[in-house]
Amino acid sequence: MSAARISAVLWQGHPGLADTFYRLARLFALGLVFILPLEAITAAREMAVVGMVLFLALFFWARHEFSFRATVLFWPLILYVAATVFSLFTAVDMAYTLKELRAEVLKGLLVFYAGVHLIQGQENLKQFWGVILVGLAVMTTAGLIFFFQEGGSLFNHAVRAGALHSGYGTLGTYLVLVWPYLLLAPLLWPQRGTKWLWLVFILATGLLAYTTYNRAAWLAMLLQAALCLIMLTRRRLRTLLLVSLAALLVAGLMFTAPGSRHGERWDRLVSNPLKTGGTAGDLLTLWAYSYEQVKKDPFRGIGLGRHSFSKAFPKFRATHQPLLWHAHNTFVDLTLQLGVQGLIAVLLIMGVLVWSLWPHSPPMSGEAAQAFAAATAAMVAGFCLRNMFDDFFVDDTGLMFWLLTGLALGGRELIRERAKAR
């Protein structure tokens, strides 16, 4: 067979194969959504990522039609990648930073753009939403059972819920990632008689979040609930004022709840912040030190990767508690690692996501793309707030963030493509 004939066979359309490949790609992606938060199954996670990307590529080959969806994040992502690559040349450990660039940035972008191109119809988003809810139901049920079996109490934080995740910190972050999809789920499943089911589900998930005693997750989920309420109303300014007052009241009650203090003396927060003590005092000390390091050379990063902090500042590590091995704030961490240019890139990514996905009017019932975009806008805002007090923009929580935002922007691009075709 001639080369020309082989080429013609390879590049002709195969509609039957295309449908099979797309179903397989979607199956791997749905599996990825479910298994990402499960501890100690990293091999399955890697297989799901590879399967999703491979069969998605084969789908477009078999269909013999591909249009790259750059999305509104294209240039912010280019800036982010450039900042991470530049950090290689100023890294305290180039080999480690190169490994982190591959594992976090490149894999994250691969998952993001796979999510963008997976959405070929609004029913796809409903399927992903359903798997998110099934995964959350499993995590919530297991988490509450394990918490009380292990002797957990609702009145102190000696035992903190970890469910099927790797610990209370990652569990709290996972709940922040999926909470808005639970709150807005009735938009897609508004059937009569399900109101009490949704209420029980929301209350159980809220209880699981409480039992993590993860105060940053509490605040993030409160913010997301407030944003969802604002999205669902037409008189948004009035709702914003009322919801803001209510959120402040709830936040105040949160920090008087049993287990909400982890050794802090809040009366010192204004007069002498570095003497606040507890977890908050440690963080303030860490951030003050990080600020001093950034001031010395704002555009010179220590290299991508949370462990770069320990490698670059061994004296600080030797004189402080072991948990302070990185800046415990995604934005501070990335400023140290990538320089101010890296911080600007990440702020652009987060800002553009919220701006582009925020609904200008209440999402319509049954409109999956609109509802998924609204939930994702709230997710991004909450994810940013949660990561102001630790850095979980990595590993499984980072991949979940990229996949969910990719799916949301895929739905947005789908609406735009269909509008152009009319």
Side-chain angles (χ1 to χ4, degrees):
M1 186 180 290
S2 67
R5 175 61 177 163
I6 293 173
S7 177
V9 171
L10 285 175
W11 292 106
Q12 67 181 347
H14 303 279
L17 275 178
D19 182 63
T20 300
F21 289 145
Y22 179 65
R23 288 174 182 270
L24 288 169
R26 198 168 71 241
L27 183 62
F28 275 103
L30 291 167
L32 182 63
V33 170
F34 184 82
I35 65 177
L36 266 176
L38 304 181
E39 185 183 13
I41 55 170
T42 54
R45 181 179 71 188
E46 298 305 311
M47 290 169 62
V49 171
V50 171
M52 174 181 67
V53 173
L54 173 63
F55 286 111
L56 185 61
L58 288 172
F59 160 66
F60 286 113
W61 164 76
R63 197 173 69 166
H64 195 39
E65 179 186 345
F66 177 69
S67 177
F68 178 65
R69 295 172 173 175
T71 79
V72 292
L73 278 194
F74 183 74
W75 289 112
L77 288 173
I78 290 292
L79 178 59
Y80 177 55
V81 172
T84 60
V85 171
F86 180 73
S87 78
L88 280 170
F89 302 101
T90 59
V92 65
D93 185 340
M94 181 182 282
Y96 168 69
T97 292
L98 181 60
K99 184 185 75 172
E100 290 295 291
L101 194 154
R102 290 196 304 264
E104 299 296 343
V105 178
L106 298 185
K107 186 189 291 185
L109 294 182
L110 192 64
V111 167
F112 170 76
Y113 273 113
V116 169
H117 291 90
L118 271 166
I119 302 305
Q120 300 295 313
Q122 292 212 47
E123 66 279 1
N124 302 147
L125 284 170
K126 191 170 182 178
Q127 290 173 342
F128 280 104
W129 203 320
V131 172
I132 291 169
L133 295 177
V134 170
L136 177 57
V138 171
M139 188 70 76
T140 299
T141 303
L144 291 175
I145 291 172
F146 293 164
F147 175 74
F148 290 111
Q149 277 185 342
E150 292 166 6
S153 169
L154 299 180
F155 302 102
N156 67 73
H157 62 280
V159 175
R160 304 171 78 169
L164 300 173
H165 221 310
S166 55
Y168 67 87
T170 47
L171 173 59
T173 308
Y174 165 75
L175 294 176
V176 169
L177 283 165
V178 298
W179 178 243
Y181 301 96
L182 173 57
L183 295 179
L184 296 182
L187 289 173
L188 269 89
W189 290 276
Q191 292 84 354
R192 293 182 62 182
T194 60
K195 180 173 66 174
W196 293 108
L197 177 64
W198 290 123
L199 180 60
V200 169
F201 198 173
I202 289 169
L203 291 175
T205 303
L207 179 60
L208 178 63
Y210 174 76
T211 59
T212 65
Y213 292 105
N214 188 319
R215 298 168 298 182
W218 294 355
L219 288 175
M221 292 171 71
L222 176 62
L223 171 66
Q224 290 170 326
L227 291 176
C228 288
L229 282 173
I230 293 168
M231 289 175 185
L232 293 173
T233 58
R234 295 190 179 278
R235 297 181 178 180
R236 290 185 171 177
L237 181 58
R238 185 179 69 176
T239 305
L240 173 63
L241 293 173
L242 293 174
V243 168
S244 297
L245 289 173
L248 287 173
L249 176 61
V250 173
L253 292 174
M254 281 181 176
F255 283 85
T256 61
S260 62
R261 290 197 179 196
H262 300 171
E264 293 88 0
R265 297 186 61 179
W266 295 116
D267 55 306
R268 297 181 180 178
L269 185 60
V270 176
S271 60
N272 194 351
L274 297 182
K275 296 296 182 181
T276 301
T279 304
D282 288 338
L283 292 181
L284 291 170
T285 300
L286 183 58
W287 296 341
Y289 179 82
S290 299
Y291 175 69
E292 293 301 320
Q293 302 312 307
V294 171
K295 274 203 314 182
K296 293 176 182 177
D297 196 343
F299 298 98
R300 182 183 178 89
I302 59 176
L304 183 69
R306 293 186 298 176
H307 286 283
S308 291
F309 184 94
S310 298
K311 296 172 184 288
F313 311 118
K315 290 184 179 179
F316 181 90
R317 289 288 293 110
T319 55
H320 292 80
Q321 63 144 305
L323 290 176
L324 303 184
W325 57 277
H326 65 96
H328 284 271
N329 179 311
T330 290
F331 304 101
V332 176
D333 255 337
L334 289 174
T335 307
L336 283 168
Q337 295 167 19
L338 308 179
V340 171
Q341 62 273 18
L343 174 64
I344 292 171
V346 171
L347 290 176
L348 270 175
I349 289 170
M350 301 303 179
V352 168
L353 277 170
V354 174
W355 172 78
S356 62
L357 296 173
W358 183 266
H360 298 296
S361 58
M364 296 175 60
S365 181
E367 289 293 325
Q370 292 180 9
F372 202 95
T376 306
M379 181 275 286
V380 173
F383 189 71
C384 288
L385 178 57
R386 192 270 169 272
N387 280 293
M388 290 287 288
F389 304 95
D390 210 331
D391 187 357
F392 285 101
F393 192 34
V394 293
D395 299 330
D396 49 281
T397 46
L399 286 180
M400 180 72 91
F401 172 86
W402 286 121
L403 182 56
L404 293 176
T405 53
L407 293 170
L409 287 181
R412 186 176 180 274
E413 293 293 317
L414 181 69
I415 293 173
R416 179 181 296 178
E417 289 169 4
R418 289 183 175 178
K420 285 182 179 179
R422 291 174 183 172

